[in-house]
Amino acid sequence: MAETSLSNPAGLRAWLLSAEPGSRLQARLGRAYLGWRAFARNPLAMLGLAVVLLLVLVALLAPLLETHPPLSGGDLRTERLLPPSTAGHWLGTDDQARDIFSRIVAGARITLGVVLLVSIIAMPVGLLVGTVAGYFGGLVDTALMRLTDIFLAFPRLVLALAFVAALGPGIENAVIAIAITAWPPYARIARAETLTIRNSDFIAAVRLQGASPMRIIANHIVPLCMSSVIVRVTLDMAGIILTAAGLGFLGLGAQPPLPEWGAMIATGRHYVIDQWWVAAFPGLAIFVVSLGFNLLGDGLRDVLDPKAAK
Amino acid sequence: MATSQAVQGGDGRFDALLRLARAAGRFVAMVTVTLAGLLAVTFLIGRVVPIDPVLAVVGDRAPPHVYERVRQELGLDLPFLQQFLIYCRKALSGDFGTSVLTTNPVMTDIARVFPATVELSTVGVLIGILTGIPLGVLAAVKRGSVVDQFVRVLGLVGYSVPIFWLGLMGLLLFYARLDLVSGPGRLDITYDYLVTPVTGMILVDSIMQGQWEVFRNAFSHIILPAAMLGYFSLAYISRMTRSFMLSELAQEYVTTARVKGLSEARIIWRHALRNAAVPLVTVVALSYAHLLEGSVLTETVFAWPGLGQYITHSLQNADMNAVLGGTLIIGTVFVFLNLFSDLIYRLLDPRTR
Amino acid sequence: MTGKPLLEVENLKVRFHLRTGTVEAVRGLSFTLGRERLGIVGESGSGKSQTGRAILGLTPPPGEVRADRLVFDGTDLLTAPRRTLRALRGGRMTMVMQDPKFSLNPVMTIGEQIVEAYRAHRKAGRAEARDKAFAMLEAVKMRNPARVFSLYPHEVSGGMGQRAMIAMMLVTDPDLLIADEPTSALDVTVQMEVLRILDELVGARGMGLIFISHDLKLVSSFCDRVLVMYAGRVVEEMSAGALARARHPYTQGLMRCLPTLAADVRPLPTLLRDPTWAG
């Protein structure tokens, strides 16, 4: 039955919205479809999604989109600091006679990479700390949460600075430093969620079947914490981008000649009065992408976490 | 003494006192643990640095026996835990070691630069409070109106724009093009050394010494970076004010106030805002703390000789003592701001007394 | 209880325009009130609370109030300027709400709130307003008015809070008091005490009272007249003494739902609801 109705779109919708799903997969897809419909009604959230998708697309297709080589410049005597839209340089050139547009396109890869790596490192750490603290309670909880509080007591950028200072400048160390400062809020959220689930009957049932604590946490608690943590991570992505750019601006993140947007602003800083475009466009790129992640995160929160939405 | 009097005063009062004492005890314990944690983190960061602190002192061509003597002087041959305890004791007495860059004790340096940061952040947060709270209140009262949309956009932009870039663009527009404000730095060179530092905050010192010219110049320098920082706290404060006010305006006591025939203005500002002010205290303290953080980037852009610039300068010169000292100071200020906001919270909300 | 009516309501309609459609909370309510006690009874959602709020001009934002006539002592409440309405509210007509835990401002002392109510309508100095507040707190049988004056709402019990609320609402000597479920949030033991105080004050001052409640028995023992509302309309109006002779099936249903000691009713009757009553 499902096969016949899947062939046309109306049938697909009916299958997704079926009140009696035939399989777990159908039920899950149905929930996802409902969530998507709620999300799609919010134009700002859709705009955010479009910006983020654009970022991904640009990052994937960067070599095709670049009009000039992003790392090596042109003639230093004639092509330095050209204003926008001269001689095929849409956004002008920088002090090394490199095309700013191509550098921004290439920088999309770095930005996306930083965001993904930080989330991939920080999210599991936060989830682990939070769920373990929440599930076991008692001394474990106190110890882990104190640790979390200590990390939260530092301003993020300053702590990241201190870590980069210790590890040495560079994009990899910047990622590690940001990840180290990013996990505590996720741990807090995961712990709060765990506390609400840990005493429920289905957990007790699994425990009676003899499942080990680690198995319960990994298979039953973590999946239920995921949606709120994902919302938080999405909302944090703008912050991650801004912190990475800040480190780059201070010369502690990506090192030259990498086209990292924050570092590009740092270069443009010396020319801001007379050649404004060198600093202006990378900053605009950071702004647009951060805004996209913020809009997307707001939209996701409304769909996945109606409690927190105001 | 006080306790025995309280017992005579009645059981309720004694209970309240006991509760207060317990809360205070928990508080002190929490602050102690957090501070110890801060120290541990900075200590560990100091240990993983690939820079050899001995080499930093003696240089890389020193003979082995000199190297060994300095190593012992620095206590680097002692067991790890003992090193940490020594570090704690020194840090608590304000000894963060010597800055390689300036050759001064780090604490002396920080004491010199910190007032500039406090001055900048304070003016910034004042701008944020004075604009953010009224805007947030208006957005909540006129929900869905132009003001509300405006506050939403302000907030979104504030959460998305890199502060250092906004600072650069501000300099470009307001200083270079429009010439409305003065450029980087705290004062024009001609006004340097006219004011004796007392508090270290030029705005305050110049008023105290009646140097109005200096005050005007200092103001024209501080206004742009402070407005940039103020914008970020405005974005945060207005958004939070709006959401607190929305929940307060839906409360039943607001209907009571209307039944009493009070004016809308009085209902909004005296009744609802006074209730919203309770959680707002925490928000303001938090945004003040974040301005201290934002100052690291802003001070670099505006050549503002404060703690932020000190930390970045030290970073770029691998001056670890200075970096960690500065980090520790900012962390401590963070902890105490939280503590302070909690105290004010208790003062404002009679239910927590 | 004679002479010109205090309040005239004719064909009152309260509507809420929501995104999901229009909800009609009150649909053509009419009554007149003298200096008497009128009870309005109905289940939740019957529109009784919205009636009280509409009279005071406090219908919340998406709501719209219409009536052929809504007149308080010669003032047309629908066309009067806001300033006049504000002077009437709190000055001549007031309301006591359900739960003092929510209806009193948590960060102001009880005294401050009473003084504020008084000074909003009378040109009075602080000292005078304070004396008035003390007298009012005494009138609602507070044992230690001076102490209650400086207490915060969370520091008093529900019964005391509601008495403070009554004191605050009557401090300006209003002509009309709307009591919207004034005792439903209180412990049973203090309900009667609060009602007795309310009864005494309303009687002594010769005020008009609209007593809104879901409790038919309570209303009939407390009021002169009773309106029974269902789905935004009056289904029956009668004098309180004539309750036993209620003709409308809804009223009879409400009556039957009350347990009696004399007879063991099985099965317990359920309330019949007929959509045609609303139509």
Side-chain angles (χ1 to χ4, degrees):
Chain A
M1 191 189 119
E3 275 168 36
T4 52
S5 56
L6 277 180
S7 49
N8 63 46
L12 178 63
R13 189 176 309 139
W15 182 77
L16 284 170
L17 295 179
S18 159
E20 293 155 4
S23 67
R24 264 215 252 182
L25 177 71
Q26 186 184 354
R28 275 190 197 151
L29 287 175
R31 298 265 322 141
Y33 177 65
L34 279 179
W36 164 252
R37 284 220 305 203
F39 182 83
R41 265 200 299 276
N42 181 348
L44 283 178
M46 288 300 277
L47 182 69
L49 181 66
V51 170
V52 173
L53 287 179
L54 187 73
L55 174 74
V56 174
L57 217 64
V58 168
L60 286 177
L61 304 177
L64 300 175
L65 295 172
E66 287 155 10
T67 54
H68 297 72
L71 296 187
S72 55
D75 189 336
L76 284 180
R77 278 166 308 171
T78 55
E79 292 180 300
R80 277 182 83 232
L81 301 168
L82 291 176
S85 76
T86 40
H89 299 291
W90 296 352
L91 304 180
T93 58
D94 67 3
D95 60 325
Q96 307 281 323
R98 294 172 298 201
D99 179 54
I100 293 177
F101 172 76
S102 304
R103 280 177 73 73
I104 289 179
V105 167
R109 286 195 160 183
I110 299 178
T111 299
L112 191 65
V114 167
V115 167
L116 286 181
L117 280 174
V118 169
S119 331
I120 288 172
I121 300 172
M123 204 161 77
V125 174
L127 269 173
L128 184 73
V129 172
T131 48
V132 166
Y135 185 79
F136 289 106
L139 213 60
V140 179
D141 186 26
T142 314
L144 287 177
M145 281 303 115
R146 257 304 82 85
L147 185 71
T148 312
D149 283 347
I150 289 165
F151 274 86
L152 282 174
F154 274 109
R156 261 171 94 166
L157 180 71
V158 175
L159 187 59
L161 278 179
F163 274 112
V164 175
L167 301 170
I171 189 83
E172 303 85 358
N173 290 341
V175 166
I176 295 172
I178 298 172
I180 290 175
T181 60
W183 64 269
Y186 312 149
R188 278 262 183 99
I189 291 170
R191 173 176 176 269
E193 292 277 322
T194 309
L195 285 181
T196 63
I197 343 176
R198 117 178 134 176
N199 290 325
S200 55
D201 288 344
F202 77 93
I203 295 291
V206 184
R207 204 179 295 139
L208 280 175
Q209 285 171 353
S212 70
M214 269 327 181
R215 191 186 163 82
I216 296 177
I217 289 174
N219 290 359
H220 299 276
I221 293 182
V222 165
L224 288 173
C225 299
M226 280 305 268
S227 69
S228 36
V229 171
I230 286 178
V231 167
R232 181 61 207 241
V233 170
T234 319
L235 282 170
D236 266 6
M237 282 182 176
I240 293 170
I241 292 173
L242 293 178
T243 311
L247 288 177
F249 178 72
L250 295 175
L252 299 164
Q255 297 298 302
L258 278 183
E260 197 273 332
W261 295 342
M264 286 169 73
I265 299 178
T267 325
R269 193 187 150 196
H270 306 295
Y271 311 99
V272 71
I273 305 292
D274 296 311
Q275 286 91 21
W276 54 270
W277 56 89
V278 184
F281 290 118
L284 210 58
I286 299 174
F287 170 59
V288 169
V289 170
S290 303
L291 191 65
F293 275 110
N294 272 330
L295 292 173
L296 177 69
D298 274 347
L300 275 184
R301 182 182 50 190
D302 292 347
V303 173
L304 292 178
D305 195 5
K307 272 175 297 177
K310 252 276 167 71
Chain B
M1 272 306 263
T3 321
S4 66
Q5 272 174 351
V7 173
Q8 285 159 12
D11 271 359
R13 190 163 300 171
F14 179 65
D15 276 356
L17 215 73
L18 204 68
R19 241 181 303 130
L20 201 73
R22 234 183 254 140
R26 248 201 320 271
F27 231 65
V28 170
M30 214 181 77
V31 170
T32 314
V33 171
T34 315
L35 284 181
L38 288 181
L39 283 167
V41 172
T42 47
F43 174 75
L44 288 175
I45 291 175
R47 293 304 111 155
V48 290
V49 180
I51 310 160
D52 185 338
V54 183
L55 282 187
V57 175
V58 296
D60 50 2
R61 259 169 294 184
H65 68 275
V66 177
Y67 180 93
E68 200 46 43
R69 208 188 59 228
V70 173
R71 200 170 112 86
Q72 277 171 19
E73 272 170 18
L74 291 174
L76 294 169
D77 55 338
L78 298 170
F80 198 64
L81 195 67
Q82 203 176 342
Q83 283 190 36
F84 177 58
L85 288 178
I86 292 172
Y87 175 78
C88 285
R89 211 181 50 224
K90 280 188 166 177
L92 288 178
S93 61
D95 178 5
F96 299 137
T98 309
S99 159
V100 180
L101 194 63
T102 62
T103 67
N104 293 328
V106 170
M107 201 57 191
T108 315
D109 281 345
I110 289 178
R112 181 170 44 81
V113 296
F114 198 45
T117 299
V118 171
E119 182 176 37
L120 181 59
S121 316
T122 307
V123 176
V125 88
L126 283 179
I127 293 175
I129 294 171
L130 293 178
T131 51
I133 291 181
L135 272 177
V137 169
L138 282 181
V141 171
K142 304 207 180 295
R143 198 180 179 180
S145 69
V146 183
V147 185
D148 194 10
Q149 301 297 337
F150 179 64
V151 166
R152 200 183 142 85
V153 171
L154 273 185
L156 270 171
V157 172
Y159 282 110
S160 310
V161 76
I163 188 168
F164 49 96
W165 180 72
L166 198 67
L168 279 177
M169 296 298 118
L171 271 180
L172 171 66
L173 186 65
F174 296 109
Y175 166 61
R177 294 284 146 91
L178 301 177
D179 199 20
L180 287 175
V181 299
S182 300
R186 293 178 87 183
L187 280 177
D188 290 348
I189 306 170
T190 41
Y191 295 101
D192 269 349
Y193 307 112
L194 281 180
V195 174
T196 348
V198 180
T199 62
M201 291 177 259
I202 294 181
L203 289 179
V204 179
D205 287 347
S206 61
I207 289 179
M208 277 171 21
Q209 291 161 32
Q211 297 269 18
W212 297 107
E213 283 289 302
V214 180
F215 178 81
R216 197 172 312 144
N217 188 259
F219 184 79
S220 73
H221 275 274
I222 202 174
I223 190 67
L224 186 59
M228 293 295 155
L229 286 174
Y231 172 57
F232 285 87
S233 75
L234 154 73
Y236 182 47
I237 292 177
S238 64
R239 198 159 155 160
M240 296 313 277
T241 305
R242 175 182 182 274
S243 104
F244 293 148
M245 279 300 282
L246 278 180
S247 79
E248 290 303 331
L249 286 172
Q251 298 292 319
E252 192 76 344
Y253 70 80
V254 170
T255 312
T256 306
R258 295 214 167 97
V259 169
K260 279 156 77 171
L262 305 181
S263 66
E264 271 310 291
R266 195 179 170 91
I267 292 170
I268 292 163
W269 299 100
R270 281 293 300 272
H271 283 259
L273 185 61
R274 195 153 145 194
N275 277 279
V278 176
L280 264 181
V281 173
T282 314
V283 167
V284 168
L286 247 160
S287 76
Y288 192 61
H290 281 292
L291 288 199
L292 284 179
E293 182 180 18
S295 68
V296 173
L297 290 165
T298 315
E299 287 177 3
T300 308
V301 171
F302 288 93
W304 194 264
L307 186 57
Q309 208 193 28
Y310 179 71
I311 292 180
T312 26
H313 260 285
S314 313
L315 264 172
Q316 281 150 358
N317 293 285
D319 186 354
M320 279 315 279
N321 281 345
V323 172
L324 294 180
T327 309
L328 206 53
I329 289 292
I330 290 191
T332 311
V333 171
F334 241 60
V335 171
F336 279 96
L337 272 175
N338 276 327
L339 193 113
F340 188 62
S341 79
D342 212 83
L343 287 178
I344 297 192
Y345 189 108
R346 274 159 201 277
L347 276 179
L348 279 181
D349 189 347
R351 283 163 296 189
T352 58
R353 268 181 226 154
Chain C
M1 275 153 237
T2 48
K4 201 167 70 145
L6 195 58
L7 178 72
E8 295 167 75
V9 179
E10 223 177 280
N11 197 18
L12 175 72
K13 288 178 179 167
V14 181
R15 280 194 204 128
F16 290 90
H17 301 288
L18 304 172
R19 237 174 307 166
T20 46
T22 300
V23 176
E24 296 190 74
V26 181
R27 318 188 308 156
L29 185 80
S30 302
F31 67 88
T32 55
L33 180 82
R35 295 190 179 270
E36 58 176 332
R37 297 163 195 198
L38 174 74
I40 299 184
V41 190
E43 53 187 351
S44 38
S46 61
K48 53 190 196 309
S49 286
Q50 285 308 329
T51 304
R53 296 199 177 202
I55 293 167
L56 286 169
L58 294 177
T59 305
E64 174 206 18
V65 178
R66 283 189 185 186
D68 294 346
R69 211 171 143 71
L70 189 62
V71 177
F72 175 81
D73 199 19
T75 311
D76 186 344
L77 296 177
L78 291 172
T79 56
R82 289 167 96 175
R83 182 174 282 275
T84 314
L85 283 180
R86 225 172 60 211
L88 284 180
R89 267 206 304 271
R92 300 198 54 203
M93 46 188 198
T94 55
M95 176 160 76
V96 172
M97 279 164 293
Q98 189 168 353
D99 194 340
K101 264 211 301 292
F102 302 114
S103 53
L104 291 170
N105 187 334
V107 301
M108 286 170 82
T109 61
I110 287 169
E112 264 180 273
Q113 297 186 51
I114 300 179
V115 164
E116 184 187 40
Y118 188 68
R119 293 187 67 190
H121 298 281
R122 304 276 186 278
K123 282 205 179 65
R126 268 170 209 290
E128 187 195 334
R130 206 181 145 84
D131 290 345
K132 187 79 186 165
F134 271 38
M136 228 25 249
L137 284 171
E138 223 158 284
V140 294
K141 308 271 189 329
M142 294 285 189
R143 247 171 292 154
N144 191 347
R147 208 174 91 82
V148 176
F149 187 90
S150 57
L151 289 180
Y152 286 95
H154 73 279
E155 296 172 315
V156 301
S157 66
M160 275 171 90
Q162 198 63 311
R163 282 187 282 152
M165 183 81 188
I166 293 172
M168 175 163 77
M169 287 309 176
L170 296 187
V171 73
T172 52
D173 291 311
D175 300 298
L176 169 66
L177 176 69
I178 298 172
D180 187 354
E181 304 262 16
T183 57
S184 347
L186 305 180
D187 287 344
V188 185
T189 44
V190 293
Q191 279 187 358
M192 287 322 293
E193 189 191 356
V194 169
L195 279 176
R196 209 165 39 240
I197 289 167
L198 197 60
D199 185 43
E200 226 179 272
L201 289 172
V202 169
R205 290 156 187 241
M207 299 163 53
L209 172 74
I210 298 180
F211 192 91
I212 297 171
S213 174
H214 61 277
D215 188 338
L216 188 56
K217 246 318 190 338
L218 181 74
V219 169
S220 61
S221 69
F222 195 71
C223 299
D224 309 316
R225 254 185 330 137
V226 180
L227 296 179
V228 180
M229 281 186 78
Y230 177 73
R233 288 173 176 265
V234 174
V235 292
E236 183 148 26
E237 179 178 354
M238 61 201 158
S239 71
L243 206 61
R245 294 191 298 279
R247 282 186 311 268
H248 196 278
Y250 181 69
T251 318
Q252 289 171 347
L254 282 179
M255 291 292 293
R256 267 201 306 275
C257 287
L258 299 169
T260 48
L261 277 175
D264 191 5
V265 190
R266 277 169 208 272
L268 276 172
T270 46
L271 198 52
L272 266 174
R273 291 181 180 82
D274 189 335
T276 55
W277 303 337

